[in-house]
Amino acid sequence: MAGIAQAFPATVSQQPARLAVAYSGGLDSSVLLHAVAQYAGAHGVQLFAFHIHHGISPNADQWQSHCAEACARLGVVFDTRSIELRNSDKNGVEEAARISRYAALGDLCRQHQIPLLLTGHHLDDQAETVLLQLLRGSGAAGLSGMDRWNTAPTLLGDAVLLMARPLLKVSRAALEQYAAAQQLTFIEDESNHDPRYARNALRQQVMPVLAQYFPGFQERFSRSAGHMQTTQRLLIDLAAQDMAVCADGACLDLEHVRQLSGERIDNLLRYWFGLHHLRMPSSAWLSEMRQQLLEAKADAQLCVTHPDCHIRRHRNRVFLTPRDDVDRSEIEPQAFHWNGEAEMRFPQFGGVLHFDQAEQGIAADWLRAQPLQIQYRCGGERLKLALNRPTKSVKYHYQAFDVPPWERERLPLVSSGKQILFAAGIGMDCLQLATEPGLHISLRWQADELLFKQDI
């Protein structure tokens, strides 16, 4: 079948040493595997076939055996992975199976050092995808359908692994003709006939009617998807330009954001979410969030909750932060002794306390002899940073150092008795710094990185 070589993006070798096919054993993947096996044999490429055993169907074991035998006949390396569905109550069986399947495929690709994964999506799949997205009220991104190739870090668990769809311009009818001509045997998944699944309902009841009154509609849907892909690329280019103007480090400067129209702000925010691989919010949710960001009082501690993150505002800047649902009021102070370690991990406090040798610091011998304690602040703690500066509250120092309120909650204090020695995010208390020669220690806190909750 023509088009296999065109599946290889310019970002990988035109003749990769190895590649893999996602092989379910159905018509689409069976045709793809057969065609790619011919290409691989002619070009000296090592081909793998990865089969995912969902365990949903009573026929799943037979399908796995069928796939293993077909690969043996073709001389293709076969590997399989059994999975258990996660969050099926929340996402539905179909979506949960898709998420788990791609995660397993990503694992298999890493295990076998595969840079490019081929899937059997075809022209009719593209038409179904576009129509489903249209029925959901999607914008340009959703109506773009599937790309010929892309990365999918959230699904595959890998930012480098490429996924390509060489059959995306080939109709299901053409696949059936190929399978008949090559005398290919393939399995029929009984769930494909269950109209409770939206895609099956379209395939069985809607698509035949469209084909009757609008012959060749699949190609036109695919063409429209191509137009939407162009539109989406332009929106991304515009968002990148706006980001260059509005970005202030890892956050957004609201003064610059306010210069944009509402539509461009929404486009910028979607782009920002996309950079972090977060789920796209609905238009209504995005509009409400934009209104809160722009109209809340200047001193308001605004926090908008997204399933994967928090959107916060602080001193006229907008922050995208991972969700942190830990109740730190329940974490008790922890006593410890320092015995000369370079670092000590405190899992309950979510980080590592480093003990660095420094010209200015606490005398190592004194520190080694003290009973120490790490804790979160309760209020009223005070710190003196320099002899020529007054003692100020820890809260004052946080404000002076522009530490956002939500970060302050994660920053612990280290004390000896009632004396604060060190406040993470601020520094050492100068009253405890040694003046005599010797080994001096400076404390430094490194918090564990919080990850966005891409709920897969």
Side-chain angles (χ1 to χ4, degrees):
M1 180 172 291
I4 297 301
Q6 286 73 29
F8 307 145
T11 48
V12 298
S13 167
Q14 292 300 308
Q15 189 170 313
R18 52 178 56 194
L19 56 85
V21 168
Y23 182 39
S24 69
L27 170 67
D28 317 339
S29 62
S30 296
V31 170
L32 177 63
L33 182 66
H34 186 271
V36 176
Q38 292 180 321
Y39 173 89
H43 293 81
V45 176
Q46 187 176 14
L47 179 60
F48 294 74
F50 296 149
H51 176 80
I52 307 303
H53 187 303
H54 295 88
I56 300 175
S57 170
N59 301 311
D61 291 341
Q62 297 178 21
W63 297 344
Q64 186 180 64
S65 298
H66 165 87
C67 291
E69 293 167 2
C71 288
R73 288 194 299 269
L74 291 170
V76 173
V77 180
F78 177 76
D79 202 353
T80 184
R81 180 70 58 84
S82 296
I83 60 174
E84 294 182 4
L85 299 190
R86 296 177 295 169
N87 296 331
S88 58
D89 291 338
K90 178 179 179 181
N91 298 323
V93 173
E94 190 176 27
E95 179 66 7
R98 185 185 75 91
I99 289 171
S100 298
R101 178 170 65 252
Y102 278 111
L105 288 170
D107 287 342
L108 285 167
C109 285
R110 285 186 292 278
Q111 177 183 331
H112 293 281
Q113 299 179 329
I114 303 295
L116 177 62
L117 174 69
L118 305 182
T119 70
H121 295 101
H122 51 76
L123 182 64
D124 294 64
D125 291 329
Q126 181 77 303
E128 291 168 6
T129 298
V130 172
L131 185 53
L132 275 172
Q133 294 296 334
L134 182 64
L135 293 172
R136 291 168 179 163
S138 299
L143 296 177
S144 295
M146 294 178 283
D147 295 319
R148 289 293 297 270
W149 67 270
N150 63 283
T151 59
T154 302
L155 278 176
L156 297 172
D158 194 318
V160 178
L161 175 62
L162 291 170
M163 182 163 53
R165 305 169 181 86
L167 305 181
L168 207 53
K169 297 293 184 181
V170 182
S171 69
R172 179 177 177 85
L175 298 182
E176 291 171 341
Q177 293 172 5
Y178 182 96
Q182 300 295 330
Q183 297 183 331
L184 302 182
T185 58
F186 52 89
I187 63 174
E188 284 285 352
D189 186 341
E190 67 274 3
S191 69
N192 289 336
H193 302 286
D194 189 342
R196 291 177 298 175
Y197 300 128
R199 190 175 287 271
N200 291 346
L202 285 181
R203 185 177 302 148
Q204 297 168 24
Q205 301 177 24
V206 177
M207 296 302 198
V209 177
L210 286 176
Q212 179 182 354
Y213 291 98
F214 304 95
F217 75 92
Q218 296 95 331
E219 289 84 354
R220 291 191 286 277
F221 275 27
S222 179
R223 192 160 58 246
S224 293
H227 295 324
M228 287 296 100
Q229 288 172 9
T230 299
T231 300
Q232 182 62 18
R233 285 193 290 270
L234 292 173
L235 289 172
I236 290 173
D237 287 345
L238 178 61
Q241 294 173 24
D242 289 339
M243 178 65 77
V245 174
C246 298
D248 180 5
C251 55
L252 300 180
D253 186 326
L254 265 181
E255 285 306 312
H256 288 104
V257 172
R258 284 192 174 94
Q259 305 307 311
L260 304 177
S261 66
E263 291 82 1
R264 284 180 68 168
I265 294 175
D266 289 353
N267 187 50
L268 172 64
L269 293 174
R270 287 193 180 97
Y271 176 75
W272 198 25
F273 275 49
L275 290 177
H276 294 281
H277 309 295
L278 301 174
R279 286 174 284 183
M280 288 298 115
S282 67
S283 297
W285 189 94
L286 203 62
S287 177
E288 175 65 24
M289 184 188 74
R290 168 166 46 84
Q291 184 177 1
Q292 291 188 47
L293 290 174
L294 297 179
E295 297 181 6
K297 294 181 180 180
D299 59 348
Q301 299 297 332
L302 181 67
C303 176
V304 180
T305 298
H306 176 278
D308 302 332
C309 65
H310 289 306
I311 300 91
R312 304 177 186 267
R313 200 185 75 174
H314 174 66
R315 294 191 176 180
N316 219 30
R317 290 171 295 167
V318 184
F319 295 78
L320 198 61
T321 65
R323 290 187 58 169
D324 181 13
D325 302 322
V326 177
D327 184 0
R328 291 179 174 80
S329 65
E330 298 182 354
I331 298 178
E332 298 291 335
Q334 180 178 340
F336 69 99
H337 278 86
W338 179 65
N339 296 310
E341 299 94 334
E343 62 183 47
M344 296 179 69
R345 167 164 286 281
F346 293 91
Q348 277 194 303
F349 293 85
V352 176
L353 184 62
H354 294 265
F355 300 83
D356 302 326
Q357 295 186 25
E359 292 185 6
Q360 285 192 325
I362 302 172
D365 291 340
W366 181 88
L367 186 63
R368 192 178 280 108
Q370 301 303 307
L372 303 174
Q373 180 172 277
I374 184 170
Q375 66 186 71
Y376 288 117
R377 65 190 184 103
C378 302
E381 296 89 354
R382 299 172 68 79
L383 204 68
K384 185 177 180 67
L385 293 182
L387 292 174
N388 61 350
R389 295 169 62 182
T391 301
K392 296 284 187 179
S393 68
V394 169
K395 179 180 179 180
Y396 170 88
H397 290 302
Y398 282 146
Q399 294 172 340
F401 280 92
D402 197 22
V403 179
W406 61 90
E407 290 187 7
R408 302 173 195 175
E409 298 173 0
R410 299 183 63 217
L411 297 175
L413 310 173
V414 177
S415 61
S416 174
K418 295 184 178 181
Q419 176 61 49
I420 301 294
L421 304 180
F422 167 75
I426 301 173
M428 307 277 291
D429 190 294
C430 72
L431 297 178
Q432 298 303 316
L433 300 183
T435 56
E436 65 278 5
L439 180 60
H440 300 156
I441 299 298
S442 176
L443 303 184
R444 176 170 55 90
W445 177 254
Q446 181 180 3
D448 295 337
E449 181 182 3
L450 288 178
L451 301 177
F452 291 105
K453 291 185 177 180
Q454 292 131 357
D455 188 15
I456 58 174

